[in-house]
Coordinates of all heavy atoms in Angstrom, one line a residue:
R64 N -9.7 -7.9 6.3 CA -8.3 -8.3 6.3 C -8.1 -9.5 5.4 O -7.0 -10.2 5.5 CB -7.8 -8.5 7.7 CG -7.7 -7.2 8.5 CD -7.9 -7.4 9.9 NE -7.8 -6.0 10.6 CZ -8.8 -5.2 10.7 NH1 -10.0 -5.5 10.1 NH2 -8.7 -4.0 11.3
N65 N -9.0 -9.7 4.4 CA -8.8 -10.7 3.3 C -8.7 -12.1 3.8 O -8.0 -12.9 3.1 CB -7.6 -10.3 2.5 CG -7.8 -8.9 1.8 OD1 -8.8 -8.6 1.3 ND2 -6.7 -8.1 1.9
V66 N -9.3 -12.5 4.9 CA -9.4 -13.9 5.3 C -10.4 -14.6 4.4 O -11.5 -14.1 4.2 CB -9.8 -14.0 6.8 CG1 -10.0 -15.5 7.2 CG2 -8.7 -13.4 7.7
S67 N -10.0 -15.8 3.9 CA -10.9 -16.6 3.2 C -11.1 -18.0 3.8 O -12.1 -18.6 3.8 CB -10.5 -16.7 1.7 OG -9.2 -17.2 1.6
T68 N -9.9 -18.5 4.3 CA -9.9 -19.8 4.8 C -9.5 -19.8 6.3 O -8.5 -19.1 6.6 CB -9.0 -20.8 4.1 OG1 -9.4 -20.9 2.7 CG2 -9.0 -22.2 4.7
I69 N -10.2 -20.5 7.2 CA -9.8 -20.6 8.6 C -9.3 -22.0 8.8 O -10.1 -23.0 8.6 CB -11.0 -20.3 9.5 CG1 -11.3 -18.8 9.3 CG2 -10.7 -20.6 10.9 CD1 -12.7 -18.4 10.0
F70 N -8.1 -22.2 9.1 CA -7.5 -23.5 9.2 C -8.1 -24.3 10.4 O -8.4 -25.5 10.3 CB -6.0 -23.5 9.4 CG -5.3 -24.8 9.3 CD1 -5.2 -25.5 8.1 CD2 -4.9 -25.5 10.5 CE1 -4.6 -26.8 8.1 CE2 -4.4 -26.8 10.4 CZ -4.2 -27.4 9.2
R71 N -8.3 -23.6 11.5 CA -9.0 -24.2 12.7 C -9.8 -23.2 13.4 O -9.4 -22.1 13.6 CB -8.0 -24.9 13.6 CG -7.0 -23.9 14.3 CD -6.0 -24.7 15.2 NE -5.1 -25.5 14.5 CZ -4.0 -25.2 14.0 NH1 -3.6 -23.9 14.0 NH2 -3.2 -26.0 13.4
F72 N -11.0 -23.6 13.8 CA -11.8 -22.9 14.7 C -11.9 -23.7 16.0 O -12.3 -24.8 16.0 CB -13.2 -22.6 14.2 CG -14.2 -22.0 15.1 CD1 -14.0 -20.6 15.5 CD2 -15.2 -22.7 15.8 CE1 -14.8 -20.0 16.4 CE2 -16.0 -22.1 16.7 CZ -15.8 -20.7 17.0
I73 N -11.6 -23.0 17.1 CA -11.6 -23.6 18.4 C -12.7 -23.0 19.3 O -12.7 -21.8 19.5 CB -10.2 -23.4 19.1 CG1 -9.1 -24.0 18.3 CG2 -10.3 -24.1 20.5 CD1 -7.7 -23.7 18.8
L74 N -13.7 -23.9 19.6 CA -14.7 -23.4 20.6 C -14.2 -23.9 22.0 O -14.2 -25.1 22.3 CB -16.0 -24.1 20.2 CG -17.2 -23.6 21.1 CD1 -17.5 -22.1 20.9 CD2 -18.4 -24.5 20.9
T75 N -13.9 -22.9 22.8 CA -13.3 -23.3 24.1 C -14.3 -24.1 25.0 O -13.9 -25.1 25.6 CB -12.8 -22.1 24.9 OG1 -13.9 -21.2 25.1 CG2 -11.7 -21.4 24.2
H76 N -15.6 -23.7 24.9 CA -16.6 -24.4 25.7 C -17.9 -24.0 25.3 O -18.0 -22.9 24.6 CB -16.4 -24.2 27.2 CG -16.6 -22.8 27.6 ND1 -15.8 -21.7 27.2 CD2 -17.5 -22.2 28.5 CE1 -16.2 -20.6 27.7 NE2 -17.3 -20.9 28.5
P77 N -19.0 -24.7 25.6 CA -20.3 -24.4 25.0 C -21.2 -23.4 25.6 O -22.4 -23.6 25.8 CB -21.0 -25.8 25.1 CG -20.5 -26.3 26.4 CD -19.1 -25.9 26.5
D78 N -20.6 -22.2 25.9 CA -21.4 -21.1 26.3 C -21.7 -20.1 25.2 O -20.9 -20.0 24.3 CB -20.7 -20.3 27.5 CG -20.8 -21.0 28.8 OD1 -21.5 -22.0 28.9 OD2 -20.1 -20.6 29.7
M79 N -22.9 -19.5 25.1 CA -23.3 -18.8 24.0 C -22.5 -17.5 23.7 O -22.4 -17.1 22.6 CB -24.8 -18.3 24.1 CG -25.8 -19.5 24.1 SD -25.7 -20.5 22.5 CE -26.1 -19.2 21.3
D80 N -21.8 -17.0 24.7 CA -21.0 -15.8 24.5 C -19.7 -16.2 23.8 O -18.8 -15.3 23.6 CB -20.7 -15.0 25.8 CG -20.1 -15.8 26.9 OD1 -20.3 -17.1 26.9 OD2 -19.4 -15.2 27.7
H81 N -19.5 -17.5 23.6 CA -18.3 -17.9 22.8 C -18.7 -18.5 21.5 O -17.8 -19.0 20.7 CB -17.5 -19.0 23.7 CG -17.0 -18.4 24.9 ND1 -15.6 -18.1 25.1 CD2 -17.5 -17.9 26.1 CE1 -15.4 -17.6 26.2 NE2 -16.5 -17.5 26.9
M82 N -20.0 -18.5 21.2 CA -20.4 -19.0 19.8 C -21.5 -18.1 19.2 O -22.3 -18.6 18.4 CB -20.9 -20.5 19.9 CG -22.2 -20.7 20.7 SD -22.8 -22.3 20.6 CE -22.0 -23.1 22.0
D83 N -21.5 -16.9 19.6 CA -22.5 -15.9 19.1 C -22.1 -15.5 17.7 O -21.2 -14.6 17.5 CB -22.5 -14.7 20.0 CG -23.4 -13.6 19.5 OD1 -24.4 -13.9 18.8 OD2 -23.2 -12.5 19.9
G84 N -22.7 -16.1 16.7 CA -22.3 -15.9 15.3 C -21.6 -17.1 14.6 O -21.1 -16.9 13.5
I85 N -21.6 -18.2 15.3 CA -20.9 -19.4 14.7 C -21.5 -19.8 13.4 O -20.7 -20.2 12.5 CB -20.9 -20.5 15.7 CG1 -20.0 -21.6 15.3 CG2 -22.3 -21.0 16.0 CD1 -19.8 -22.8 16.3
K86 N -22.8 -19.7 13.2 CA -23.4 -20.1 11.9 C -22.9 -19.2 10.8 O -22.5 -19.7 9.7 CB -24.9 -20.2 12.0 CG -25.6 -20.7 10.8 CD -27.1 -20.7 10.9 CE -27.7 -21.3 9.7 NZ -27.4 -20.6 8.4
E87 N -22.9 -17.9 11.1 CA -22.5 -17.0 10.1 C -21.0 -17.1 9.7 O -20.6 -17.0 8.6 CB -22.8 -15.5 10.6 CG -22.5 -14.4 9.6 CD -23.5 -14.4 8.4 OE1 -24.6 -14.9 8.6 OE2 -23.1 -13.8 7.4
L88 N -20.2 -17.4 10.8 CA -18.8 -17.7 10.5 C -18.6 -18.8 9.6 O -17.8 -18.7 8.6 CB -18.1 -17.9 11.9 CG -16.6 -18.1 11.8 CD1 -15.9 -16.8 11.6 CD2 -16.1 -18.9 13.0
F89 N -19.3 -20.0 9.9 CA -19.1 -21.2 9.0 C -19.7 -21.0 7.6 O -19.2 -21.6 6.7 CB -19.7 -22.4 9.7 CG -18.8 -23.0 10.7 CD1 -18.5 -22.4 11.9 CD2 -18.2 -24.3 10.5 CE1 -17.6 -22.9 12.9 CE2 -17.4 -24.9 11.5 CZ -17.1 -24.2 12.6
D90 N -20.8 -20.2 7.5 CA -21.4 -19.9 6.2 C -20.5 -19.0 5.4 O -20.6 -19.0 4.2 CB -22.7 -19.3 6.4 CG -23.8 -20.2 6.9 OD1 -23.5 -21.5 6.9 OD2 -24.9 -19.8 7.3
T91 N -19.7 -18.2 6.0 CA -18.9 -17.1 5.3 C -17.5 -17.6 4.9 O -17.1 -17.3 3.8 CB -18.8 -15.9 6.2 OG1 -20.1 -15.4 6.6 CG2 -18.0 -14.8 5.5
F92 N -16.9 -18.4 5.7 CA -15.5 -18.8 5.5 C -15.4 -20.4 5.3 O -16.2 -21.1 5.9 CB -14.6 -18.4 6.6 CG -14.6 -16.9 6.9 CD1 -15.3 -16.4 7.9 CD2 -13.9 -16.0 6.0 CE1 -15.4 -15.0 8.1 CE2 -13.9 -14.7 6.2 CZ -14.7 -14.1 7.3
E93 N -14.4 -20.8 4.6 CA -14.1 -22.2 4.5 C -13.3 -22.5 5.8 O -12.3 -21.9 6.1 CB -13.2 -22.5 3.3 CG -12.8 -24.0 3.3 CD -11.9 -24.3 2.1 OE1 -11.2 -23.3 1.7 OE2 -11.8 -25.4 1.7
I94 N -13.8 -23.5 6.6 CA -13.2 -23.8 7.9 C -12.8 -25.3 7.8 O -13.7 -26.2 7.5 CB -14.2 -23.6 9.1 CG1 -14.5 -22.1 9.2 CG2 -13.6 -24.1 10.4 CD1 -15.4 -21.7 10.3
L95 N -11.6 -25.6 8.0 CA -11.0 -26.9 7.7 C -11.1 -27.8 9.0 O -11.3 -29.0 8.8 CB -9.6 -26.8 7.2 CG -9.4 -26.0 6.0 CD1 -7.9 -26.0 5.5 CD2 -10.3 -26.5 4.8
N96 N -10.9 -27.3 10.1 CA -10.8 -28.1 11.4 C -11.6 -27.4 12.5 O -11.5 -26.2 12.6 CB -9.4 -28.3 11.8 CG -8.5 -29.0 10.8 OD1 -8.6 -30.2 10.7 ND2 -7.7 -28.3 10.1

Side-chain angles (χ1 to χ4, degrees):
R64 288 153 182 81
N65 299 314
V66 172
S67 59
T68 300
I69 295 169
F70 188 77
R71 64 179 66 85
F72 175 73
I73 302 172
L74 184 69
T75 58
H76 66 296
D78 284 352
M79 291 303 299
D80 58 334
H81 294 253
M82 67 172 87
D83 174 26
I85 188 173
K86 183 178 186 301
E87 185 71 19
L88 182 77
F89 277 69
D90 287 347
T91 303
F92 302 101
E93 180 185 21
I94 298 178
L95 303 182
N96 299 283

